[in-house]
Amino acid sequence: MDVLDVARWQFAITTVYHFLMVPLTIGLSIVVAVMQTAWVRTGKAHYLAMTKFWGKLMLVNFAMGVVTGIVQEFQFGMTWSAYSRFVGDVFGAPLAMEGIVAFMVESTFLGLWIFGWERLPKRVHLACLWAASLASTASAYFILSANSWMQHPVGIELVDGRPRLTSIWAVLTNNTAIAAFTHTVSGGFAVAGTFLVGISAWHLWKKHKLSAVDDPDRKVWSASLRLGAWIGMVAFAAVALTGDTQGKLMFQQQPMKMAAAEALCHTEAPASFSIFAYGDVSRPDCENVKSITVPALLSFLAHNDFSTEVKGVQDLTTLYEQKYGHNYPVDPSLGALSGQPIDYVPDLPVTYWGFRFMIGFGAIAAGAALLALWLTRRGRVPRTKWFPRLALLSIATPFLANSFGWIFTEMGRQPFVVVPNPTGVDGVFMYTAQAVSPGVSAGQVLTSLIALTVVYGVLAVVEVFLLVRYAKAGVAGVMPPPGDGDADQKKPDDDVLAFAY
């Protein structure tokens, strides 16, 4: 077993798992801050109940995100030390900013919010949540700036074979970073909106069956469902717009990635957009591949007109070979790949289907949000059993869309871990095969991979258990009715987040 393959599997598993937490934390923290703002400004009880209920779910997810995020940064030193040495002069600044914002500002103000209920003045307490929410978003920006530098290196010079940072401002204002940030944050709000719709629809249906029409909790679920549906619709529109911008940049900066995403083997003018392909898309000559297409749409998505040429995988391979060579350098750091031919084509099935799963799951989630808006128009309450079931199932779809988008982004840039900038400094790129720590063995990385996978599996069970438990508890779980005998008999250990409320 090759150490490079095991290291890549380890990074993929830990990153995708961590990225399940990040979008929900970003989206839900700001949504909860908006709910609390509405309560502070209006004094209406249902806004307070919404803040406390959704805030508790946000805290569970935030805690898991912190635990799994720490491992990400440890990996750079443990498994990818050669990569860390190469990019260290550039990555140090944004990662330090992320650490300061995430672990100091975000954690401090979130702690003040948790312990500040009925201890801090209302507006100060609210300001703590806004500070934590905005710090969470800023933290994402710094991480995405670092990742975007790998996708499109800027703000550097080449000194002794390594990039040296010349402008942190160029790194932070990299157009790739801005496009990735807006797209990711929009995806975070899409996750939060679908999360609100799914759980609210289930509670609303349950209230419809079990309680009186004037149950005050109905207002909590109706308002949450409508808010989630509107957030979802706006977020999905933003995802589409920012995705289009990001796609156009990728056609300029990483044309091979986008050609792979379309399984576009041969150059076309105008180029058609593939909706669905059948046959073996793994072959770079596209032999025996049939595709249902929209004529000229790919030209528009790439260049904003319906006639411009879009280069295919085979022509791009020739261009890459002319610029970067046919073979890997003869270098011990490349291991078995030293001196071997370079395959510049990413895994076509992964990139092609990853791109479509990203769009498809996002479209399903958008459809669920639109359906929720329609069924709750003019104060109506859905009374059918299929809708809450559909809404609950739809919670998973934006998570899947985000995960497939991340897989597509990372897998599509292979064989590079730092992709060459077509208009940047010559020589600033790194093959993935060079990035692995030289002193580790496949067995050592496999051991840590198995250990992390087991631990992450346990954490996944714990998170799902806690989220389901608190979601099922509903409003009574955070605001027990006065004189509730069961609530009076509860022990402090029954609710690990009771200190917050």
Side-chain angles (χ1 to χ4, degrees):
M1 186 174 292
D2 186 77
V3 63
L4 174 62
D5 293 334
V6 185
R8 290 182 67 189
W9 271 108
Q10 183 190 72
F11 194 82
I13 291 172
T14 54
T15 302
V16 169
Y17 185 85
H18 176 61
F19 200 61
L20 292 175
M21 323 291 173
V22 174
L24 183 60
T25 295
I26 293 173
L28 196 56
S29 63
I30 293 180
V31 170
V32 173
V34 170
M35 291 173 178
Q36 186 169 351
T37 302
W39 171 61
V40 170
R41 290 180 63 86
T42 67
K44 293 182 178 178
H46 70 282
Y47 287 132
L48 176 61
M50 290 166 66
T51 302
K52 292 201 169 188
F53 175 78
W54 297 109
K56 178 173 279 190
L57 299 184
M58 176 195 75
L59 290 177
V60 172
N61 187 71
F62 174 82
M64 291 297 177
V66 170
V67 171
T68 56
I70 291 173
V71 175
Q72 294 301 106
E73 300 195 13
F74 284 160
Q75 281 189 93
F76 292 139
M78 293 188 299
T79 315
W80 301 96
S81 63
Y83 161 81
S84 299
R85 279 192 289 273
F86 184 73
V87 303
D89 190 57
V90 180
F91 264 41
L95 288 186
M97 292 177 188
E98 193 271 341
I100 291 171
V101 170
F103 293 104
M104 295 181 67
V105 180
E106 184 181 1
S107 299
T108 299
F109 282 101
L110 195 61
L112 289 171
W113 184 73
I114 293 171
F115 292 101
W117 283 98
E118 300 177 0
R119 295 182 177 88
L120 293 173
K122 281 185 179 179
R123 293 183 183 279
V124 174
H125 185 242
L126 172 62
C128 291
L129 180 57
W130 272 111
S133 302
L134 295 177
S136 174
T137 307
S139 170
Y141 184 79
F142 294 126
I143 286 292
L144 288 169
S145 296
N147 179 270
S148 297
W149 186 87
M150 294 190 294
Q151 313 280 345
H152 188 62
V154 295
I156 39 92
E157 60 182 353
L158 190 64
V159 179
D160 297 331
R162 291 176 52 192
R164 177 178 292 176
L165 185 66
T166 58
S167 171
I168 184 61
W169 181 247
V171 174
L172 295 179
T173 57
N174 187 351
N175 55 12
T176 311
I178 294 171
F181 174 72
T182 53
H183 194 57
T184 303
V185 170
S186 300
F189 279 106
V191 169
T194 310
F195 194 68
L196 263 66
V197 168
I199 295 173
S200 302
W202 182 79
H203 275 291
L204 203 56
W205 178 76
K206 191 177 171 186
K207 288 291 176 186
H208 158 64
K209 289 181 64 70
L210 301 178
S211 64
V213 174
D214 59 352
D215 188 324
D217 288 357
R218 283 193 176 209
K219 197 166 188 177
V220 173
W221 305 122
S222 295
S224 296
L225 193 155
R226 292 283 295 177
L227 177 63
W230 276 115
I231 290 172
M233 290 305 301
V234 173
F236 286 118
V239 165
L241 291 173
T242 56
D244 178 65
T245 301
Q246 194 173 20
K248 286 179 169 58
L249 282 176
M250 284 190 190
F251 273 108
Q252 300 169 13
Q253 299 168 355
Q254 300 181 55
M256 182 65 87
K257 178 188 288 186
M258 298 311 294
E262 283 299 304
L264 182 71
C265 298
H266 309 288
T267 300
E268 293 184 12
S272 302
F273 178 82
S274 172
I275 298 175
F276 185 87
Y278 51 96
D280 184 8
V281 297
S282 65
R283 294 173 59 94
D285 58 5
C286 291
E287 188 175 344
N288 300 324
V289 173
K290 303 293 182 184
S291 188
I292 301 171
T293 61
V294 178
L297 180 58
L298 187 61
S299 290
F300 179 80
L301 294 176
H303 304 293
N304 261 344
D305 67 64
F306 290 98
S307 60
T308 301
E309 173 186 280
V310 179
K311 291 194 177 301
V313 167
Q314 292 193 333
D315 284 339
L316 286 170
T317 299
T318 302
L319 292 176
Y320 274 72
E321 288 173 344
Q322 290 172 349
K323 190 161 187 178
Y324 305 109
H326 291 75
N327 295 69
Y328 285 106
V330 178
D331 186 336
S333 68
L334 287 160
L337 291 176
S338 175
Q340 297 299 308
I342 304 173
D343 184 1
Y344 289 105
V345 184
D347 190 304
L348 285 174
V350 171
T351 48
Y352 180 84
W353 291 112
F355 191 62
R356 269 136 202 87
F357 286 146
M358 175 186 70
I359 296 173
F361 283 119
I364 293 172
L370 181 62
L371 183 63
L373 278 179
W374 173 255
L375 293 177
T376 57
R377 67 191 187 282
R378 299 174 184 171
R380 299 182 187 187
V381 176
R383 298 178 184 277
T384 56
K385 196 173 182 178
W386 61 266
F387 174 66
R389 289 179 173 176
L390 177 67
L392 280 175
L393 288 174
S394 71
I395 291 176
T397 54
F399 285 99
L400 291 170
N402 278 311
S403 297
F404 279 111
W406 190 255
I407 291 170
F408 160 69
T409 300
E410 299 305 293
M411 289 288 289
R413 71 167 185 259
Q414 299 304 320
F416 299 105
V417 65
V418 176
V419 181
N421 179 346
T423 59
V425 178
D426 287 338
V428 178
F429 64 86
M430 186 180 204
Y431 296 112
T432 305
Q434 292 175 301
V436 181
S437 301
V440 298
S441 66
Q444 290 171 326
V445 181
L446 182 62
T447 301
S448 61
L449 165 63
I450 294 171
L452 287 172
T453 304
V454 171
V455 171
Y456 277 27
V458 172
L459 290 176
V461 172
V462 171
E463 171 156 19
V464 171
F465 170 78
L466 291 175
L467 288 176
V468 170
R469 177 184 174 184
Y470 292 130
K472 289 176 70 174
V475 175
V478 291
M479 297 177 68
D484 187 327
D486 292 338
D488 294 341
Q489 294 173 10
K490 286 177 66 175
K491 300 175 183 177
D493 290 344
D494 289 344
D495 188 344
V496 295
L497 295 176
F499 60 85
Y501 304 97

